[in-house]
Amino acid sequence: MSFFDAIKSYFKNYATFKGRARRSEFWFTVLFTVLVSAALSIVFPGPVESVWGTDVEQSSAAENLWSLATIVPSLAVTWRRLHDVGRSGKYFFFVLIPIAGIIMLIIELVKDSQPEANEYGAPVKSVQS
């Protein structure tokens, strides 16, 4: 899946928590959301506040709106990615376990797709001969 196809799928399946998402779809959307967030923080810098003598830049309204607009599709594509490796979407909540939970989730997100159909649907990755 190309970068632009992944972004189209990301917004097309805005709140679709059923089905499967390829590894490329997931990681391209992560890249896209991070790049847009970085661009927004450069173009619309937030206010700077002093915390214990250190200047800390706060997020701007534009960054907050972007985060709010992408939270549901980001959760949905993560959910579908977990389905693609044969895990329930509820596996996402392992992030609530400090350090180990995030590592466990990342391991599942980088795994290759299951080549056969599973309880979440048919594989989205085409089999190449």
Side-chain angles (χ1 to χ4, degrees):
M1 176 173 279
S2 73
F3 180 79
F4 294 107
D5 289 338
I7 303 312
K8 285 182 209 172
S9 175
Y10 177 68
F11 287 111
K12 179 183 170 193
N13 297 311
Y14 191 89
T16 304
F17 288 82
K18 293 181 179 177
R20 295 168 65 166
R22 292 180 61 178
R23 188 169 36 184
S24 60
E25 178 183 355
F26 175 79
W27 289 110
F28 279 145
T29 58
V30 169
L31 176 64
F32 172 73
T33 57
V34 167
L35 290 175
V36 171
S37 295
L40 287 172
S41 69
I42 292 169
V43 175
F44 301 106
V48 177
E49 294 185 19
S50 182
V51 178
W52 294 315
T54 305
D55 289 340
V56 177
E57 183 179 335
Q58 304 296 315
S59 60
S60 66
E63 291 173 272
N64 290 338
L65 286 173
W66 174 251
S67 296
L68 187 62
T70 59
I71 193 165
V72 171
S74 295
L75 286 172
V77 75
T78 304
W79 216 264
R80 292 192 318 271
R81 177 71 197 125
L82 288 169
H83 287 172
D84 197 40
V85 296
R87 294 281 185 185
S88 167
K90 296 173 189 172
Y91 198 84
F92 172 78
F93 294 109
F94 276 103
V95 298
L96 299 175
I97 301 170
I99 303 169
I102 294 169
I103 293 169
M104 290 170 26
L105 181 63
I106 290 172
I107 289 169
E108 293 301 320
L109 294 173
V110 299
K111 282 184 178 177
D112 197 10
S113 305
Q114 287 186 332
E116 67 280 345
N118 62 22
E119 62 184 287
Y120 305 106
V124 289
K125 186 175 182 179
S126 62
V127 178
Q128 298 176 354
S129 301

